[in-house]
Amino acid sequence: MNVLDSQLVTGQLRAMGYRFVDDWRGASVVLYNTCSVREQAENKVYSRLGELGIYKRDHQDVVLGVLGCMAERDGVDMLRRFPQLDILCGPGELDKVPLLIDNAVKTKLGARMDAAESAGGGGGLTAGGRAALQGNKHRRSSTLAAAEDQLELLDLSRSFSPDDYSGSAYVRITRGCNKFCTYCVVPNTRGAEVHRAPDHIIDECKRLVDAGVVEITLLGQTVNHYHYDHGASVTIAGVQQPQVGQAVSGPGRGAGTRLTTFADLLDRIHDEVSGLSRLRFVTSFPRDFGDDILQVMADHPRICRYLHVPAQSGSNRMLELMNRGYTVEQYIDLLDRARAYLPGVEIAGDLICGFPTETHEDHQATCDLLRRAQYKNCFVFKYSPRPGTAAITRFQDDVPDVEKKRRNNELLAIQSGISEQVHSRYVGRTVRVFVESVSHKAAKEADASSGATVTLGWEKPVTQLSGRTDGDLIVVFDGEPSLIGSIVQVRVERSAPLTLFGRLVEQAVIA
Ligand code: SF4
């Protein structure tokens, strides 16, 4: 979600004439788009702000901003702590970033002129802190209110220049979340769940395909909860507004009704955006995953056989404390239904270990679920209390860190064995791969030797490329960089727990 937000803000600024530089030291405006979910990511931002604070002592004209969840959650506290900040802008207000930059620049200019006047023309900038407050006055604090106003225009105004995409793009279909899992700050920082009008989404997909995109990933915090009630839609200045939706309970398509469910949306995109080669979506919430969605996936070959469905725990007691709203049995039922509808589907999961009061038995139940789930990969997180969540006030963080680490390692070891098995099943098969980039390893080696490519018995120089299968398995193979952004066929020759290694087959490019 943050990647898309960054792309939209970048596109907006580029359209207004801003240029982007590789090194922040050469920039007049430095913006950090932030996430509050993990403590580590936040610490990184604090450290960068410290660095920028020192830099700004000699470069006071530089505009420094923090966007996203940290800005929304910490607000004024952050301004107090980091006087070097000029702009704070929450995720529901990103359409205002150009205005905030403009205000900050004008304030700095005004301050410099005042200082120059009072010092007889020789003064410097004296009011960096005040510039920050002036910019911040334009910040609206309610993400819910933002849902019904101009924010939709940020998505609608994205750039469709082919230069901005290397074959793949994100499209937001919902914003915010209503689930209020006790460990999560997202409902407070991104606000209530809001669903975009399906016509806007489909139009955006079509325009992206026209710009050369072959793979689109639909985004939502609980993407399968998408729900648009046409009877309740409101149009302002000719623009159909996003709407704050209620849950769609149980299976059942919206056909014949004035409702567009997630299954309907997938169906429409698949049929109406015929030039799209691959359609994916993340992240799914276990409770809202009806058979209607699985049926549409089964019926539509260009929708990837891949689900990312976080379980978070294998203990019903923990799930209740986390306020997840489903049981382990219901979660397993979803996995079984998915594999029955979609043979060969790959599933990824998330687990949290060391949540308050988690016992050895709770942890063992999570280990059991992990073995049962047979994920292709699983993200395992050690619980850490996050400001702004219910868990930080409701529960004591009582699992010692050393025990969290032990449980974390045990889960990772189990998953590593499963991932190895899942990946090894692909050896000898030919898979469709969307080519994403030069592989990290090859890029590092190229940097070290100051050369971008190597020759490995090909007529043209080749390098190691990295991509993903329809089931989201990472594939590494040798090929020309010009293949990035296309879909190719790769014969898998060997596997590791998280990677397949293969060779391009003839007539490789299929999209
Ligand atoms: S579903 Fe839970 S974990 Fe996911 S964004 Fe919503 S509150 Fe956070």
PDB file of all heavy atoms in Angstrom, residues 167 205 209 212-216 269-270 273-280 300-304 432-434 470 485-488 510-511:
ATOM      1  N   GLY A 167       5.926  -2.882 -16.573  1.00  0.00           N
ATOM      2  CA  GLY A 167       5.046  -4.021 -16.796  1.00  0.00           C
ATOM      3  C   GLY A 167       4.085  -4.335 -15.676  1.00  0.00           C
ATOM      4  O   GLY A 167       3.129  -5.080 -15.852  1.00  0.00           O
ATOM      5  N   CYS A 205      -7.462   0.347 -14.595  1.00  0.00           N
ATOM      6  CA  CYS A 205      -6.798  -0.876 -15.104  1.00  0.00           C
ATOM      7  C   CYS A 205      -6.622  -0.787 -16.624  1.00  0.00           C
ATOM      8  O   CYS A 205      -5.544  -1.113 -17.156  1.00  0.00           O
ATOM      9  CB  CYS A 205      -7.618  -2.124 -14.766  1.00  0.00           C
ATOM     10  SG  CYS A 205      -7.671  -2.500 -13.009  1.00  0.00           S
ATOM     11  N   VAL A 209      -3.089  -0.796 -18.723  1.00  0.00           N
ATOM     12  CA  VAL A 209      -2.775  -1.775 -19.774  1.00  0.00           C
ATOM     13  C   VAL A 209      -2.389  -1.043 -21.060  1.00  0.00           C
ATOM     14  O   VAL A 209      -1.434  -1.423 -21.746  1.00  0.00           O
ATOM     15  CB  VAL A 209      -3.974  -2.730 -19.990  1.00  0.00           C
ATOM     16  CG1 VAL A 209      -3.795  -3.554 -21.254  1.00  0.00           C
ATOM     17  CG2 VAL A 209      -4.122  -3.646 -18.776  1.00  0.00           C
ATOM     18  N   GLY A 212       1.095  -0.187 -21.205  1.00  0.00           N
ATOM     19  CA  GLY A 212       2.065  -1.276 -21.293  1.00  0.00           C
ATOM     20  C   GLY A 212       2.118  -2.207 -20.098  1.00  0.00           C
ATOM     21  O   GLY A 212       2.961  -3.111 -20.037  1.00  0.00           O
ATOM     22  N   VAL A 213       1.210  -2.015 -19.133  1.00  0.00           N
ATOM     23  CA  VAL A 213       1.219  -2.875 -17.946  1.00  0.00           C
ATOM     24  C   VAL A 213       0.625  -4.247 -18.300  1.00  0.00           C
ATOM     25  O   VAL A 213      -0.407  -4.334 -18.972  1.00  0.00           O
ATOM     26  CB  VAL A 213       0.408  -2.196 -16.813  1.00  0.00           C
ATOM     27  CG1 VAL A 213       0.068  -3.170 -15.703  1.00  0.00           C
ATOM     28  CG2 VAL A 213       1.194  -1.004 -16.263  1.00  0.00           C
ATOM     29  N   VAL A 214       1.294  -5.324 -17.870  1.00  0.00           N
ATOM     30  CA  VAL A 214       0.758  -6.670 -18.148  1.00  0.00           C
ATOM     31  C   VAL A 214       0.283  -7.354 -16.868  1.00  0.00           C
ATOM     32  O   VAL A 214      -0.427  -8.347 -16.914  1.00  0.00           O
ATOM     33  CB  VAL A 214       1.803  -7.576 -18.854  1.00  0.00           C
ATOM     34  CG1 VAL A 214       2.187  -7.020 -20.192  1.00  0.00           C
ATOM     35  CG2 VAL A 214       3.037  -7.810 -17.999  1.00  0.00           C
ATOM     36  N   GLU A 215       0.690  -6.823 -15.706  1.00  0.00           N
ATOM     37  CA  GLU A 215       0.285  -7.430 -14.430  1.00  0.00           C
ATOM     38  C   GLU A 215      -0.221  -6.339 -13.492  1.00  0.00           C
ATOM     39  O   GLU A 215       0.459  -5.336 -13.267  1.00  0.00           O
ATOM     40  CB  GLU A 215       1.483  -8.131 -13.784  1.00  0.00           C
ATOM     41  CG  GLU A 215       1.171  -8.698 -12.421  1.00  0.00           C
ATOM     42  CD  GLU A 215       2.415  -9.125 -11.661  1.00  0.00           C
ATOM     43  OE1 GLU A 215       3.068  -8.276 -11.021  1.00  0.00           O
ATOM     44  OE2 GLU A 215       2.732 -10.321 -11.711  1.00  0.00           O
ATOM     45  N   ILE A 216      -1.416  -6.545 -12.954  1.00  0.00           N
ATOM     46  CA  ILE A 216      -1.966  -5.584 -11.991  1.00  0.00           C
ATOM     47  C   ILE A 216      -2.229  -6.301 -10.676  1.00  0.00           C
ATOM     48  O   ILE A 216      -2.761  -7.418 -10.650  1.00  0.00           O
ATOM     49  CB  ILE A 216      -3.262  -4.931 -12.530  1.00  0.00           C
ATOM     50  CG1 ILE A 216      -2.897  -3.898 -13.607  1.00  0.00           C
ATOM     51  CG2 ILE A 216      -4.061  -4.265 -11.403  1.00  0.00           C
ATOM     52  CD1 ILE A 216      -4.087  -3.242 -14.277  1.00  0.00           C
ATOM     53  N   ILE A 269     -13.089  -7.090 -14.108  1.00  0.00           N
ATOM     54  CA  ILE A 269     -11.743  -6.706 -14.577  1.00  0.00           C
ATOM     55  C   ILE A 269     -11.249  -7.749 -15.574  1.00  0.00           C
ATOM     56  O   ILE A 269     -10.716  -7.414 -16.640  1.00  0.00           O
ATOM     57  CB  ILE A 269     -10.759  -6.562 -13.391  1.00  0.00           C
ATOM     58  CG1 ILE A 269     -11.188  -5.421 -12.479  1.00  0.00           C
ATOM     59  CG2 ILE A 269      -9.337  -6.303 -13.902  1.00  0.00           C
ATOM     60  CD1 ILE A 269     -10.384  -5.299 -11.194  1.00  0.00           C
ATOM     61  N   HIS A 270     -11.430  -9.021 -15.244  1.00  0.00           N
ATOM     62  CA  HIS A 270     -10.952 -10.081 -16.130  1.00  0.00           C
ATOM     63  C   HIS A 270     -11.600  -9.961 -17.513  1.00  0.00           C
ATOM     64  O   HIS A 270     -10.930 -10.059 -18.540  1.00  0.00           O
ATOM     65  CB  HIS A 270     -11.273 -11.446 -15.510  1.00  0.00           C
ATOM     66  CG  HIS A 270     -10.659 -12.601 -16.237  1.00  0.00           C
ATOM     67  ND1 HIS A 270     -11.255 -13.188 -17.327  1.00  0.00           N
ATOM     68  CD2 HIS A 270      -9.488 -13.255 -16.043  1.00  0.00           C
ATOM     69  CE1 HIS A 270     -10.474 -14.165 -17.761  1.00  0.00           C
ATOM     70  NE2 HIS A 270      -9.403 -14.228 -17.008  1.00  0.00           N
ATOM     71  N   VAL A 273     -11.025  -5.954 -19.093  1.00  0.00           N
ATOM     72  CA  VAL A 273      -9.649  -5.510 -19.369  1.00  0.00           C
ATOM     73  C   VAL A 273      -8.940  -6.686 -20.031  1.00  0.00           C
ATOM     74  O   VAL A 273      -8.079  -7.347 -19.453  1.00  0.00           O
ATOM     75  CB  VAL A 273      -8.938  -5.058 -18.069  1.00  0.00           C
ATOM     76  CG1 VAL A 273      -7.629  -4.340 -18.402  1.00  0.00           C
ATOM     77  CG2 VAL A 273      -9.839  -4.150 -17.239  1.00  0.00           C
ATOM     78  N   SER A 274      -9.327  -6.937 -21.265  1.00  0.00           N
ATOM     79  CA  SER A 274      -8.889  -8.171 -21.909  1.00  0.00           C
ATOM     80  C   SER A 274      -7.391  -8.194 -22.202  1.00  0.00           C
ATOM     81  O   SER A 274      -6.794  -9.256 -22.313  1.00  0.00           O
ATOM     82  CB  SER A 274      -9.688  -8.393 -23.204  1.00  0.00           C
ATOM     83  OG  SER A 274      -9.553  -7.244 -24.007  1.00  0.00           O
ATOM     84  N   GLY A 275      -6.768  -7.024 -22.285  1.00  0.00           N
ATOM     85  CA  GLY A 275      -5.330  -6.987 -22.571  1.00  0.00           C
ATOM     86  C   GLY A 275      -4.466  -7.284 -21.352  1.00  0.00           C
ATOM     87  O   GLY A 275      -3.235  -7.348 -21.459  1.00  0.00           O
ATOM     88  N   LEU A 276      -5.081  -7.462 -20.208  1.00  0.00           N
ATOM     89  CA  LEU A 276      -4.313  -7.705 -18.979  1.00  0.00           C
ATOM     90  C   LEU A 276      -3.935  -9.184 -18.889  1.00  0.00           C
ATOM     91  O   LEU A 276      -4.801 -10.056 -18.957  1.00  0.00           O
ATOM     92  CB  LEU A 276      -5.168  -7.301 -17.764  1.00  0.00           C
ATOM     93  CG  LEU A 276      -4.520  -7.459 -16.394  1.00  0.00           C
ATOM     94  CD1 LEU A 276      -3.327  -6.519 -16.241  1.00  0.00           C
ATOM     95  CD2 LEU A 276      -5.541  -7.172 -15.289  1.00  0.00           C
ATOM     96  N   SER A 277      -2.635  -9.461 -18.718  1.00  0.00           N
ATOM     97  CA  SER A 277      -2.196 -10.865 -18.699  1.00  0.00           C
ATOM     98  C   SER A 277      -2.305 -11.490 -17.316  1.00  0.00           C
ATOM     99  O   SER A 277      -2.497 -12.691 -17.187  1.00  0.00           O
ATOM    100  CB  SER A 277      -0.744 -10.970 -19.160  1.00  0.00           C
ATOM    101  OG  SER A 277      -0.628 -10.505 -20.469  1.00  0.00           O
ATOM    102  N   ARG A 278      -2.103 -10.674 -16.279  1.00  0.00           N
ATOM    103  CA  ARG A 278      -2.112 -11.253 -14.927  1.00  0.00           C
ATOM    104  C   ARG A 278      -2.777 -10.320 -13.938  1.00  0.00           C
ATOM    105  O   ARG A 278      -2.461  -9.146 -13.887  1.00  0.00           O
ATOM    106  CB  ARG A 278      -0.667 -11.513 -14.477  1.00  0.00           C
ATOM    107  CG  ARG A 278      -0.461 -12.966 -14.275  1.00  0.00           C
ATOM    108  CD  ARG A 278       0.886 -13.467 -14.040  1.00  0.00           C
ATOM    109  NE  ARG A 278       1.753 -12.851 -13.095  1.00  0.00           N
ATOM    110  CZ  ARG A 278       2.870 -13.475 -12.663  1.00  0.00           C
ATOM    111  NH1 ARG A 278       3.145 -14.703 -13.064  1.00  0.00           N
ATOM    112  NH2 ARG A 278       3.675 -12.895 -11.833  1.00  0.00           N
ATOM    113  N   LEU A 279      -3.697 -10.877 -13.157  1.00  0.00           N
ATOM    114  CA  LEU A 279      -4.396 -10.103 -12.132  1.00  0.00           C
ATOM    115  C   LEU A 279      -4.160 -10.779 -10.784  1.00  0.00           C
ATOM    116  O   LEU A 279      -4.369 -11.986 -10.647  1.00  0.00           O
ATOM    117  CB  LEU A 279      -5.898 -10.065 -12.453  1.00  0.00           C
ATOM    118  CG  LEU A 279      -6.798  -9.305 -11.479  1.00  0.00           C
ATOM    119  CD1 LEU A 279      -6.404  -7.834 -11.391  1.00  0.00           C
ATOM    120  CD2 LEU A 279      -8.267  -9.423 -11.917  1.00  0.00           C
ATOM    121  N   ARG A 280      -3.688  -9.988  -9.815  1.00  0.00           N
ATOM    122  CA  ARG A 280      -3.424 -10.524  -8.474  1.00  0.00           C
ATOM    123  C   ARG A 280      -4.072  -9.606  -7.453  1.00  0.00           C
ATOM    124  O   ARG A 280      -4.465  -8.488  -7.768  1.00  0.00           O
ATOM    125  CB  ARG A 280      -1.919 -10.518  -8.177  1.00  0.00           C
ATOM    126  CG  ARG A 280      -1.065 -11.352  -9.066  1.00  0.00           C
ATOM    127  CD  ARG A 280       0.349 -10.799  -9.270  1.00  0.00           C
ATOM    128  NE  ARG A 280       0.921 -10.165  -8.122  1.00  0.00           N
ATOM    129  CZ  ARG A 280       1.754 -10.754  -7.253  1.00  0.00           C
ATOM    130  NH1 ARG A 280       2.095 -12.011  -7.432  1.00  0.00           N
ATOM    131  NH2 ARG A 280       2.243 -10.101  -6.237  1.00  0.00           N
ATOM    132  N   HIS A 300     -11.445 -18.051 -14.248  1.00  0.00           N
ATOM    133  CA  HIS A 300     -10.736 -17.013 -15.000  1.00  0.00           C
ATOM    134  C   HIS A 300      -9.231 -17.263 -14.953  1.00  0.00           C
ATOM    135  O   HIS A 300      -8.574 -16.952 -13.952  1.00  0.00           O
ATOM    136  CB  HIS A 300     -11.063 -15.631 -14.432  1.00  0.00           C
ATOM    137  CG  HIS A 300     -12.512 -15.266 -14.574  1.00  0.00           C
ATOM    138  ND1 HIS A 300     -13.508 -15.843 -13.811  1.00  0.00           N
ATOM    139  CD2 HIS A 300     -13.137 -14.410 -15.408  1.00  0.00           C
ATOM    140  CE1 HIS A 300     -14.679 -15.328 -14.162  1.00  0.00           C
ATOM    141  NE2 HIS A 300     -14.482 -14.456 -15.133  1.00  0.00           N
ATOM    142  N   PRO A 301      -8.687 -17.783 -16.045  1.00  0.00           N
ATOM    143  CA  PRO A 301      -7.290 -18.226 -16.023  1.00  0.00           C
ATOM    144  C   PRO A 301      -6.275 -17.110 -15.814  1.00  0.00           C
ATOM    145  O   PRO A 301      -5.148 -17.375 -15.398  1.00  0.00           O
ATOM    146  CB  PRO A 301      -7.104 -18.851 -17.417  1.00  0.00           C
ATOM    147  CG  PRO A 301      -8.203 -18.293 -18.256  1.00  0.00           C
ATOM    148  CD  PRO A 301      -9.337 -18.011 -17.329  1.00  0.00           C
ATOM    149  N   ARG A 302      -6.635 -15.864 -16.092  1.00  0.00           N
ATOM    150  CA  ARG A 302      -5.638 -14.799 -15.949  1.00  0.00           C
ATOM    151  C   ARG A 302      -5.587 -14.250 -14.519  1.00  0.00           C
ATOM    152  O   ARG A 302      -4.815 -13.346 -14.232  1.00  0.00           O
ATOM    153  CB  ARG A 302      -5.915 -13.696 -16.966  1.00  0.00           C
ATOM    154  CG  ARG A 302      -5.570 -14.161 -18.395  1.00  0.00           C
ATOM    155  CD  ARG A 302      -5.803 -13.091 -19.433  1.00  0.00           C
ATOM    156  NE  ARG A 302      -7.213 -12.860 -19.678  1.00  0.00           N
ATOM    157  CZ  ARG A 302      -7.847 -11.720 -19.442  1.00  0.00           C
ATOM    158  NH1 ARG A 302      -7.190 -10.690 -18.981  1.00  0.00           N
ATOM    159  NH2 ARG A 302      -9.140 -11.602 -19.685  1.00  0.00           N
ATOM    160  N   ILE A 303      -6.424 -14.793 -13.622  1.00  0.00           N
ATOM    161  CA  ILE A 303      -6.308 -14.414 -12.206  1.00  0.00           C
ATOM    162  C   ILE A 303      -5.342 -15.398 -11.542  1.00  0.00           C
ATOM    163  O   ILE A 303      -5.515 -16.616 -11.643  1.00  0.00           O
ATOM    164  CB  ILE A 303      -7.677 -14.451 -11.487  1.00  0.00           C
ATOM    165  CG1 ILE A 303      -8.668 -13.535 -12.195  1.00  0.00           C
ATOM    166  CG2 ILE A 303      -7.507 -14.054 -10.025  1.00  0.00           C
ATOM    167  CD1 ILE A 303     -10.070 -13.542 -11.597  1.00  0.00           C
ATOM    168  N   CYS A 304      -4.308 -14.854 -10.903  1.00  0.00           N
ATOM    169  CA  CYS A 304      -3.252 -15.717 -10.349  1.00  0.00           C
ATOM    170  C   CYS A 304      -3.780 -16.662  -9.273  1.00  0.00           C
ATOM    171  O   CYS A 304      -4.606 -16.270  -8.452  1.00  0.00           O
ATOM    172  CB  CYS A 304      -2.148 -14.853  -9.749  1.00  0.00           C
ATOM    173  SG  CYS A 304      -1.144 -14.081 -11.004  1.00  0.00           S
ATOM    174  N   ARG A 432       5.157 -20.058 -15.997  1.00  0.00           N
ATOM    175  CA  ARG A 432       5.055 -18.682 -16.503  1.00  0.00           C
ATOM    176  C   ARG A 432       5.639 -17.749 -15.454  1.00  0.00           C
ATOM    177  O   ARG A 432       5.289 -17.849 -14.276  1.00  0.00           O
ATOM    178  CB  ARG A 432       3.582 -18.304 -16.671  1.00  0.00           C
ATOM    179  CG  ARG A 432       2.936 -18.704 -17.970  1.00  0.00           C
ATOM    180  CD  ARG A 432       1.421 -18.650 -17.865  1.00  0.00           C
ATOM    181  NE  ARG A 432       0.903 -17.501 -17.122  1.00  0.00           N
ATOM    182  CZ  ARG A 432       0.322 -16.445 -17.674  1.00  0.00           C
ATOM    183  NH1 ARG A 432       0.188 -16.367 -18.983  1.00  0.00           N
ATOM    184  NH2 ARG A 432      -0.132 -15.455 -16.932  1.00  0.00           N
ATOM    185  N   VAL A 433       6.509 -16.847 -15.897  1.00  0.00           N
ATOM    186  CA  VAL A 433       7.177 -15.954 -14.942  1.00  0.00           C
ATOM    187  C   VAL A 433       7.024 -14.511 -15.400  1.00  0.00           C
ATOM    188  O   VAL A 433       7.350 -14.182 -16.552  1.00  0.00           O
ATOM    189  CB  VAL A 433       8.685 -16.299 -14.833  1.00  0.00           C
ATOM    190  CG1 VAL A 433       9.402 -15.322 -13.908  1.00  0.00           C
ATOM    191  CG2 VAL A 433       8.869 -17.729 -14.348  1.00  0.00           C
ATOM    192  N   PHE A 434       6.546 -13.677 -14.522  1.00  0.00           N
ATOM    193  CA  PHE A 434       6.570 -12.244 -14.805  1.00  0.00           C
ATOM    194  C   PHE A 434       7.943 -11.737 -14.370  1.00  0.00           C
ATOM    195  O   PHE A 434       8.322 -11.871 -13.206  1.00  0.00           O
ATOM    196  CB  PHE A 434       5.470 -11.498 -14.039  1.00  0.00           C
ATOM    197  CG  PHE A 434       5.575 -10.005 -14.217  1.00  0.00           C
ATOM    198  CD1 PHE A 434       5.159  -9.414 -15.398  1.00  0.00           C
ATOM    199  CD2 PHE A 434       6.136  -9.205 -13.235  1.00  0.00           C
ATOM    200  CE1 PHE A 434       5.297  -8.044 -15.587  1.00  0.00           C
ATOM    201  CE2 PHE A 434       6.280  -7.833 -13.419  1.00  0.00           C
ATOM    202  CZ  PHE A 434       5.850  -7.255 -14.603  1.00  0.00           C
ATOM    203  N   ASP A 470       2.907 -17.499 -11.447  1.00  0.00           N
ATOM    204  CA  ASP A 470       1.508 -17.157 -11.167  1.00  0.00           C
ATOM    205  C   ASP A 470       1.182 -17.403  -9.693  1.00  0.00           C
ATOM    206  O   ASP A 470       0.293 -16.782  -9.129  1.00  0.00           O
ATOM    207  CB  ASP A 470       0.572 -18.016 -12.036  1.00  0.00           C
ATOM    208  CG  ASP A 470       0.668 -17.616 -13.502  1.00  0.00           C
ATOM    209  OD1 ASP A 470       1.249 -16.552 -13.798  1.00  0.00           O
ATOM    210  OD2 ASP A 470       0.173 -18.383 -14.359  1.00  0.00           O
ATOM    211  N   GLY A 485       9.578  -6.837 -17.280  1.00  0.00           N
ATOM    212  CA  GLY A 485       8.253  -6.303 -17.593  1.00  0.00           C
ATOM    213  C   GLY A 485       7.436  -7.194 -18.494  1.00  0.00           C
ATOM    214  O   GLY A 485       6.293  -6.871 -18.814  1.00  0.00           O
ATOM    215  N   SER A 486       8.000  -8.332 -18.892  1.00  0.00           N
ATOM    216  CA  SER A 486       7.220  -9.239 -19.740  1.00  0.00           C
ATOM    217  C   SER A 486       6.995 -10.566 -19.011  1.00  0.00           C
ATOM    218  O   SER A 486       7.599 -10.829 -17.971  1.00  0.00           O
ATOM    219  CB  SER A 486       7.926  -9.467 -21.072  1.00  0.00           C
ATOM    220  OG  SER A 486       9.228  -9.960 -20.852  1.00  0.00           O
ATOM    221  N   ILE A 487       6.140 -11.386 -19.580  1.00  0.00           N
ATOM    222  CA  ILE A 487       5.906 -12.717 -19.011  1.00  0.00           C
ATOM    223  C   ILE A 487       6.589 -13.734 -19.918  1.00  0.00           C
ATOM    224  O   ILE A 487       6.404 -13.716 -21.144  1.00  0.00           O
ATOM    225  CB  ILE A 487       4.398 -13.004 -18.889  1.00  0.00           C
ATOM    226  CG1 ILE A 487       3.779 -12.024 -17.875  1.00  0.00           C
ATOM    227  CG2 ILE A 487       4.160 -14.446 -18.448  1.00  0.00           C
ATOM    228  CD1 ILE A 487       2.291 -12.180 -17.674  1.00  0.00           C
ATOM    229  N   VAL A 488       7.388 -14.596 -19.318  1.00  0.00           N
ATOM    230  CA  VAL A 488       8.159 -15.564 -20.098  1.00  0.00           C
ATOM    231  C   VAL A 488       7.935 -16.966 -19.527  1.00  0.00           C
ATOM    232  O   VAL A 488       7.357 -17.127 -18.451  1.00  0.00           O
ATOM    233  CB  VAL A 488       9.681 -15.237 -20.046  1.00  0.00           C
ATOM    234  CG1 VAL A 488       9.963 -13.863 -20.604  1.00  0.00           C
ATOM    235  CG2 VAL A 488      10.196 -15.339 -18.615  1.00  0.00           C
ATOM    236  N   ILE A 510       5.664 -14.533 -23.650  1.00  0.00           N
ATOM    237  CA  ILE A 510       4.269 -14.799 -23.991  1.00  0.00           C
ATOM    238  C   ILE A 510       3.374 -13.600 -23.712  1.00  0.00           C
ATOM    239  O   ILE A 510       2.199 -13.627 -23.991  1.00  0.00           O
ATOM    240  CB  ILE A 510       3.745 -16.055 -23.265  1.00  0.00           C
ATOM    241  CG1 ILE A 510       4.004 -15.950 -21.762  1.00  0.00           C
ATOM    242  CG2 ILE A 510       4.369 -17.294 -23.827  1.00  0.00           C
ATOM    243  CD1 ILE A 510       3.516 -17.172 -21.000  1.00  0.00           C
ATOM    244  N   ALA A 511       3.900 -12.554 -23.143  1.00  0.00           N
ATOM    245  CA  ALA A 511       3.102 -11.334 -22.974  1.00  0.00           C
ATOM    246  C   ALA A 511       4.028 -10.173 -22.688  1.00  0.00           C
ATOM    247  O   ALA A 511       5.097 -10.345 -22.165  1.00  0.00           O
ATOM    248  CB  ALA A 511       2.127 -11.492 -21.823  1.00  0.00           C
TER     249      ALA A 511
END
